[in-house]
Amino acid sequence: MDSLSNLSLPMFDSNRSSIMIVNVAICCLSFILLIVSMSGNSTASGTVKNGAWTLGLNNDDEIIAWYGLKQMVLNNDGGYSYSSCADGVDYCSDCETAGKNSLNATVFVFFFNIAMLVLSVLRRNPATDSGTKKVAAVVTMSVSLVTMIIAMGVWNNECMVNLPTSGSVTIALGPGMNCILTTFLFSLIVYVSHLFTAAGGDGSMEAPINKV
């Protein structure tokens, strides 16, 4: 724990306050992105379109299908829940299960993001920072990153690759998937900043944890 607590780079320690403020801003933006991703679980056609994790495109790159976490919208004809067609269409059953699992993972990430927001605020000031808070931030962010990989991987491997395609229909990432992917990239920034900011000091005070 001591080695992790004292792991740092001068650039991060000397700019601790500014970096943690950026982290707070990233966490706030991530809340919005995650809400868009979770809105893919809606049963309202308009919301499904805005939060769909996958899109179906025709030859003119026009969107003809929106695949949310709970239902799909086809050719503006309204929404069809995966559960209503699960008995007759294989990909419906696959997407129904994948949607539930990806939603659960995204909800966990949302709560991890709350923890990271709090920890970033506490670590901004060396006086309120500690080795325990740094370890908590690094571990929380690590678990959050892995959880996002699971959410995206489950949807891709269990639903997206099984969606019907033909010579005139192609599959593309939807806004919901793009939002969680963007959150993942933002979270990498937060992870690195916490990892390389030493616990308890930016040079203005003695580090609270000393190496043995």
Side-chain angles (χ1 to χ4, degrees), residues 177-190:
M177 178 69 91
N178 284 327
C179 281
I180 196 168
L181 178 59
T182 303
T183 301
F184 178 84
L185 297 176
F186 281 157
S187 297
L188 284 175
I189 297 173
V190 177

Side-chain angles (χ1 to χ4, degrees), residues 1-20:
M1 179 174 174
D2 288 357
S3 59
L4 177 58
S5 298
N6 294 318
L7 179 64
S8 66
L9 291 175
M11 178 184 71
F12 289 90
D13 285 340
S14 61
N15 296 286
R16 169 192 292 269
S17 181
S18 298
I19 288 173
M20 293 304 162

Side-chain angles (χ1 to χ4, degrees), residues 88-149:
V89 183
D90 289 340
Y91 76 82
C92 285
S93 177
D94 295 332
C95 291
E96 182 182 16
T97 301
K100 291 177 181 178
N101 293 333
S102 293
L103 175 65
N104 290 337
T106 306
V107 171
F108 277 117
V109 172
F110 187 89
F111 286 107
F112 288 142
N113 197 58
I114 294 175
M116 288 311 303
L117 175 66
V118 174
L119 288 167
S120 295
V121 171
L122 293 176
R123 296 203 66 210
R124 178 172 175 255
N125 185 346
T128 59
D129 192 18
S130 68
T132 300
K133 291 185 179 68
K134 175 174 181 176
V135 172
V138 172
V139 171
T140 299
M141 200 73 262
S142 298
V143 176
S144 183
L145 288 168
V146 171
T147 305
M148 280 185 274
I149 291 174

